[in-house]
Amino acid sequence: MPVENLLTPRIIRRDQHPISRKNIDREALKVLYRLRDAGQLAYLVGGGVRDLYLGKKPKDFDISTSARPGKLRKIFKNSRLIGRRFRLVQVFFPGNKIIEVSTFRCRSEFDINGVANTGSDTVLAANNTFGTPSDDAFRRDLTINSLFYSIENNSIVDYVGGVKDLDDGIIRLVGEPERRITRDPARMMRVIRHAARIDFTIEPGTWQAIIKHRDKLMLCPISRIRDELMKDLRSGACRSWTELAMDSGLFEVLFPYYKPVLQSTNRQNLKLLLDIQTNVDQLVNQGV
């Protein structure tokens, strides 16, 4: 995407997209209206917008706003601050319902013009600098997870081409793939996960960057890899995830002891492994 377009979002009007306000969680709407009435800019963001666009029921409804964490605590008395690297506010509702609200954050890997910063490539350098909606969109991982939904006019605000990628069935990293992966190798796992879950195609530049930098996954804390992996094993798309992870080489990085199985001319053990993943998916989808 040309630099000059980075700060000018595409606005998708209500008659141009399938999202209906009636499908948005009632408590999420309450939070959005409360923020609006307090004079703050606020959007429904991330996976919730993606799932609503695809006609799926979102698991979570997350919100991003111009209000700082301290201001959020004053607006929502039924809330608490969480997080170390990034401060979030959890707003509590009856029935153990929680809506997470974050302040727009700065693009840690881009300068003010949207061009990749030429500084250090330290993995996951700490950054909790607040920014603008465009900053917040560009610091996210995938274009399809970087969309904003506005309750003011029921429109989608798209800085990164996420709506087109949803329409085309494409998984694409925001920004330059190699740099984004180098800064946070766990992004490779999220690319594979979303492609497997919604049966999308991974954009060629993103795919080649994963193949090239797959070994960098071991730079991430093992606890973080474990957390990401458990999401994949319990996703209901474990077999699809395994096949993509094998094709990209990530599976071998995660499970080096499976190399003999993957390299063997006898495909029976590989078939058994994939059949096991199919059974896992069936159990998960049955609620086991």
Side-chain angles (χ1 to χ4, degrees):
M1 182 178 290
V3 170
E4 61 269 20
N5 292 336
L6 293 181
L7 302 181
T8 305
R10 176 188 172 195
I11 306 298
I12 296 88
R13 302 191 313 268
R14 175 63 188 93
D15 60 348
Q16 298 173 319
H17 68 76
I19 297 178
S20 171
R21 194 181 307 192
K22 68 181 182 182
N23 294 324
I24 299 176
D25 184 271
R26 182 177 60 181
E27 282 75 20
L29 286 174
K30 287 180 180 178
V31 171
L32 287 166
Y33 287 130
R34 180 85 65 85
L35 287 167
R36 180 198 64 184
D37 294 343
Q40 303 295 327
L41 180 62
Y43 295 125
L44 186 69
V45 298
V49 181
R50 176 201 67 222
D51 289 344
L52 288 169
Y53 192 94
L54 295 174
K56 301 175 181 292
K57 183 178 180 180
K59 180 181 178 182
D60 301 300
F61 290 88
D62 296 330
I63 292 168
S64 280
T65 178
S66 56
R68 300 291 177 89
K71 180 70 172 178
L72 289 169
R73 289 283 287 119
K74 292 180 180 178
I75 295 174
F76 301 101
K77 303 301 183 184
N78 55 326
S79 67
R80 70 174 180 183
L81 273 171
I82 64 167
R84 293 183 179 179
R85 180 169 175 256
F86 293 123
R87 303 292 276 170
L88 299 174
V89 172
Q90 291 184 327
V91 183
F92 295 91
F93 291 93
N96 294 321
K97 177 69 70 65
I98 298 175
I99 302 296
E100 287 194 347
V101 186
S102 62
T103 305
F104 297 131
R105 295 203 292 269
C106 181
R107 286 171 282 168
S108 60
E109 295 157 68
F110 295 85
D111 67 16
I112 194 168
N113 294 317
V115 181
N117 192 318
T118 57
S120 169
D121 276 336
T122 303
V123 175
L124 276 178
N127 187 339
N128 200 33
T129 305
F130 302 122
T132 64
S134 63
D135 290 329
D136 196 82
F138 277 91
R139 62 96 187 164
R140 294 175 182 269
D141 292 341
L142 306 179
T143 59
I144 63 170
N145 291 342
S146 302
L147 300 170
F148 299 147
Y149 177 83
S150 171
I151 58 167
E152 287 303 303
N153 49 20
N154 304 316
S155 64
I156 296 174
V157 182
D158 181 6
Y159 287 93
V160 298
V163 166
K164 186 176 188 307
D165 284 342
L166 281 174
D167 290 337
D168 294 342
I170 298 293
I171 300 293
R172 185 193 313 269
L173 281 167
V174 176
E176 200 284 308
E178 289 197 32
R179 183 172 185 82
R180 300 307 305 280
I181 286 173
T182 300
R183 288 295 294 264
D184 183 2
R187 286 173 173 143
M188 293 185 284
M189 296 188 69
R190 291 196 282 276
V191 168
I192 300 295
R193 173 185 309 140
H194 285 286
R197 282 185 177 182
I198 56 180
D199 195 26
F200 274 23
T201 300
I202 299 173
E203 179 267 331
T206 298
W207 179 252
Q208 291 303 318
I210 291 173
I211 292 173
K212 180 178 179 179
H213 295 287
R214 58 196 179 198
D215 289 335
K216 287 187 172 66
L217 188 61
M218 291 299 102
L219 295 175
C220 296
I222 294 299
S223 60
R224 188 154 178 255
I225 294 176
R226 178 203 62 213
D227 291 345
E228 295 286 347
L229 181 61
M230 293 309 297
K231 295 176 184 176
D232 297 315
L233 297 179
R234 297 168 174 166
S235 68
C238 186
R239 175 166 180 151
S240 296
W241 175 86
T242 299
E243 290 174 329
L244 283 171
M246 287 178 176
D247 290 344
S248 65
L250 272 186
F251 195 86
E252 211 168 279
V253 174
L254 288 165
F255 307 108
Y257 39 83
Y258 273 110
K259 281 185 181 181
V261 174
L262 301 178
Q263 296 172 357
S264 173
T265 56
N266 182 350
R267 312 309 284 173
Q268 285 303 113
N269 285 333
L270 177 59
K271 180 180 182 301
L272 174 61
L273 175 61
L274 293 175
D275 287 345
I276 291 171
Q277 309 291 43
T278 298
N279 290 335
V280 169
D281 287 340
Q282 291 173 349
L283 291 171
V284 168
N285 291 326
Q286 291 168 10
V288 177

